[in-house]
Amino acid sequence: MKEEEEEEHDRNDITGLSNYVETELMFEKVVTPSDVGKLNRLVIPKQHAEKHFPLQQQQRQQPGRVGEGKGVVLSFEEERTGRLWRFRYSYWSSSQSYVMTKGWSRFVREKRLRAGDAVSFAHAVGARGRLFIRWATRAGPRGPAAVLQRASFVPAWEYYYRNHPTGGQGGPTKRLRLFGVNLECPNSECADTDEPSYIIPLLL
Amino acid sequence: MKEEEEEEHDRNDITGLSNYVETELMFEKVVTPSDVGKLNRLVIPKQHAEKHFPLQQQQRQQPGRVGEGKGVVLSFEEERTGRLWRFRYSYWSSSQSYVMTKGWSRFVREKRLRAGDAVSFAHAVGARGRLFIRWATRAGPRGPAAVLQRASFVPAWEYYYRNHPTGGQGGPTKRLRLFGVNLECPNSECADTDEPSYIIPLLL
DNA sequence: GGAGTTACCTGGGTT
DNA sequence: AAACCCAGGTAACTC
């Protein structure tokens, strides 16, 4: 077994990243009051659901087979911490909508998500079954200075990380986008430091 | 097969009636504010429900069998137009009541039913599975003169229609009751005209 | 019994 | 205009 694989579990802190995966955004949703309220479910917009989280026919509700087709459980890695979030994902034929149900309300509670905040889903480049979740607060009363408020509906930040393509020599490559703009590492040391200083100003 | 049964489909307009079915009133309900409000359900009084719309045990809610026992869909013919109305009919164990749910709100909206209006259910004589629905407005601001206000809780009108019992000679027999009183055709032409003038004064 | 979960349903907006 | 979405509901079951 390769060293990289052995340490996949050890990604619980951004300062301790030992393994990097380049991720690609699938979609972002600005959550509605219902998504973070008592309904305990997140509606996944249909075009994104069908593109990124396809369900087999038997996993959908069957007309005339009520009670069958309970969907699937999807696991998402929280990008900053590596923490795993498992959500039941299914199709509700009555409303013709795709939803995350079981597990979602815990995420809302622990992240203190509010309506207007954004949650986004990504997958690993080259391993599309490996899923990631990110979230960003709406700039506002809880957020930073007013000058930043408009930033939240461009994904406030995106953090790409991957193993070095040549196999480890030179360390991992990290890339950061802030408010839709790529940030480049300002000097050659960036590639090796575990605490790139440009993380600090992000809306986390 | 009898003639009456062959033309069951061709009853889409009162002016084009080609087939008549004698109906028998099962019951009438004066609708409550909840019946026509946001709850989207009509409570069927228990004694009428159990007499006329029996549910099999498996169509009622079963403890421990989620997804089973969702009631049934009943189809009612609107007597004047032949239009079909389908309502989900089920038993709510929490309130121990029988209700029409899905489909009912559409009827309320399209007929502009208000609290105090009456809806009544009937079935065909000799074919009790063939169901009919009628409705009548409460006399009031929308209704005719005050002198008629008490009339609505006698079914405001009832329209009976059937094939001529001798097999078609002489045309169909039509009978109308207004406010509980039989109206007889004033002359021999009534039986054959497509637009009997005595329809006009009805509370429609 | 209460909180959480599932499975229903509908109005209003949009396409 | 009709179909489709989906935000926002309700009812009932599970544990």
Side-chain angles (χ1 to χ4, degrees), chain B residues 84-154:
Chain B
L84 219 53
W85 294 91
R86 291 187 178 82
F87 305 133
R88 179 170 296 277
Y89 168 68
S90 58
Y91 179 74
W92 284 353
S93 53
S94 58
S95 55
Q96 307 211 65
S97 57
Y98 295 87
V99 287
M100 302 287 181
T101 57
K102 184 179 181 182
W104 172 249
S105 63
R106 178 185 303 267
F107 187 82
V108 169
R109 191 183 330 122
E110 297 199 10
K111 301 310 181 190
R112 293 175 153 72
L113 281 192
R114 298 186 189 182
D117 290 346
V119 59
S120 55
F121 296 93
H123 54 212
V125 171
R128 300 201 150 211
R130 186 168 169 191
L131 302 171
F132 295 85
I133 187 169
R134 296 196 286 260
W135 59 281
T137 62
R138 167 182 55 181
R142 288 183 302 155
V147 66
L148 296 180
Q149 286 189 7
R150 298 182 58 249
S152 59
F153 304 120
V154 178

Side-chain angles (χ1 to χ4, degrees), chain B residues 149-201:
Chain B
Q149 286 189 7
R150 298 182 58 249
S152 59
F153 304 120
V154 178
W157 56 273
E158 294 171 83
Y159 183 42
Y160 289 27
Y161 49 106
R162 61 179 171 182
N163 283 313
H164 192 281
T166 63
Q169 293 186 354
T173 299
K174 304 165 189 161
R175 287 187 297 173
L176 196 64
R177 285 168 62 85
L178 255 188
F179 309 125
V181 177
N182 281 314
L183 296 189
E184 298 299 330
C185 178
N187 57 58
S188 62
E189 291 174 11
C190 279
D192 291 317
T193 179
D194 280 331
E195 296 193 53
S197 62
Y198 53 62
I199 288 291
I200 305 302

Side-chain angles (χ1 to χ4, degrees), chain B residues 14-41:
Chain B
I14 197 167
T15 65
L17 290 172
S18 61
N19 189 328
Y20 300 94
V21 177
E22 185 162 7
T23 64
E24 179 182 10
L25 178 70
M26 294 186 287
F27 64 94
E28 178 181 73
K29 181 177 185 185
V30 176
V31 297
T32 68
S34 293
D35 288 332
V36 298
K38 286 174 284 193
L39 301 180
N40 299 317
R41 58 101 183 99

